[in-house]
Each structure stands twice: as structure tokens, then as C-alpha cells.
Amino acid sequence: MCFMQKEEKYYVNKYANNKLVFGEGNTNAKIFIIGEAPGGDEEEQGRPFVGKAGKNLDEFLKIAGVNRSDVYITNTVKLRPTKISPKTGKPVNRPPSKEEIDDFTPLLRQELFTIKPSLVVTLGNIPLKAVTSDSKITIGSVHGKLLQVKGIRLFPLYHPAAVIYNQSLRQTYMEDLEAIKDYLQ
Ligand code: URA
């Protein structure tokens, strides 16, 4: 799908050396899921959430009773943020910079405006802050609660990767998924 021709040129020029991974899914979706940024698998395949975090996301969708084909999935930042590992000399993931987030947030807003979902699910802090434009908001204080922000119905969840790395979040994450499922029914 083509969002904002003019801005696309901007991204293509500024990030000419990066492979961009755009959102995908059902353009009539009622549920719009926003992650942080693509990882190595996503960069390689050119699709969001196909790696380990993608497997967790698929599990999340299953628990929430939602088909992947019924949702739209995108990331806050459309490129894989990397740094060179001093150990291996190879690129490894890093969190997106403020500049990258600021650069890609208008594109995210345009995607939201185009799809007009009835529910936005943010995964982790980065999309939560980008959608609310609130740099102080944290996932720890709002996860699993339905928020109404700038006319958007928002359900913030922890990022699936956080659940991979912090098993103690798993129970909370499961409860949040049950809350989404209840809300969707
Ligand atoms: N893969 C994605 O596409 N987004 C994330 O936030 C993490 C992994």
C-alpha cells in the first residue's frame, strides 16, 4: 500500500542504506498492532513480526481469539536499528533513537488515519509514547487498560520480546490478553 508519496521520498533518501519494513495486513482491520522496530529476521524478509517476537505475537493473537489475517501490523520505526558489536564486528539490534522515532511517527500517524481501526494495540513503551505523544507515560503503569487518547481507543500491552526475556511478566501479559479478549467479545 502507498502512504503519502512525498514523505516516502524523504524516507527513501534519508534512509537509502536501510531496508525499510512497512506495515502489512488487512486494510479494513478493526485492530491495529504497533511494535517497536524490525529485527534481523524482519529486515531479511521485509515483513514485520516474522522472527521470535513474531512467534510470540502469533501466540498472543491466538489467546486473544484474533486471526492474523484480520489485523494490521506495523512498527513505530520502519528500519532495523543496529550497532556494530565490538565482539563479532557484526550488526546487532539496538533501541531506536529519538531521531528515528520522530522521523517515522508521521508515517505511523498516516497509517492510522488510513486504516481507521477501532482498537490500537501498542506493544511496549516506544509505540505507546509515539501514539500518545507523551514521553512520560510508561507501559508499567498503563498495560492492560483501555485508554482513550486523541480520539484513539488504545490498549497498551508489554512487548512480546519483553516477555521472552522476562518470564515473570508472563502472568501479567496473559491477564492483559484475557482483558483484550473480554473487550473484543
Ligand atoms: N519485530 C518487529 O517487527 N517489531 C518488533 O517490535 C520486534 C520484532
Side-chain angles (χ1 to χ4, degrees):
M1 189 193 319
C2 191
F3 294 104
M4 288 165 101
Q5 299 283 349
K6 204 163 130 210
E7 278 74 3
E8 263 183 21
K9 247 190 219 159
Y10 168 83
Y11 297 113
V12 169
N13 289 337
K14 178 159 180 184
Y15 295 107
N17 295 324
N18 293 91
K19 184 168 170 191
L20 301 186
V21 178
F22 292 102
E24 69 170 27
N26 189 328
T27 49
N28 293 315
K30 299 223 166 8
I31 304 175
F32 187 107
I33 299 173
I34 315 172
E36 184 174 293
D41 291 322
E42 287 78 17
E43 183 183 52
E44 209 178 291
Q45 296 184 41
R47 296 182 55 211
F49 283 98
V50 290
K52 233 194 230 168
K55 272 208 187 117
N56 261 41
L57 181 68
D58 289 344
E59 187 195 353
F60 141 57
L61 291 172
K62 209 169 165 192
I63 295 167
V66 176
N67 291 322
R68 187 157 171 153
S69 56
D70 291 337
V71 302
Y72 185 85
I73 304 179
T74 193
N75 280 301
T76 313
V77 167
K78 283 12 182 201
L79 55 84
R80 178 190 178 200
T82 57
K83 60 181 181 188
I84 298 298
S85 158
K87 267 194 201 152
T88 62
K90 289 189 180 152
V92 288
N93 294 346
R94 61 163 169 80
S97 66
K98 181 171 182 324
E99 183 179 348
E100 288 161 345
I101 295 169
D102 289 348
D103 271 349
F104 283 98
T105 297
L107 183 57
L108 178 63
R109 291 203 187 291
Q110 190 59 30
E111 283 176 286
L112 276 168
F113 182 77
T114 306
I115 306 284
K116 292 190 176 46
S118 42
L119 185 69
V120 172
V121 177
T122 49
L123 304 175
N125 271 316
I126 287 177
L128 174 65
K129 289 176 198 278
V131 167
T132 58
S133 309
D134 179 352
S135 61
K136 300 230 165 64
I137 197 167
T138 61
I139 186 64
S141 54
V142 295
H143 69 89
K145 291 181 193 150
L146 187 65
L147 308 179
Q148 187 82 29
V149 183
K150 298 178 174 182
I152 292 173
R153 214 171 288 149
L154 175 63
F155 203 102
L157 283 182
Y158 280 105
H159 194 283
V163 182
I164 297 175
Y165 295 115
N166 180 352
Q167 280 296 319
S168 62
L169 279 184
R170 200 167 171 82
Q171 181 60 31
T172 310
Y173 189 68
M174 290 300 159
E175 286 163 12
D176 291 351
L177 292 183
E178 288 299 327
I180 284 208
K181 191 175 180 183
D182 288 349
Y183 171 75
L184 292 173
Q185 274 167 1

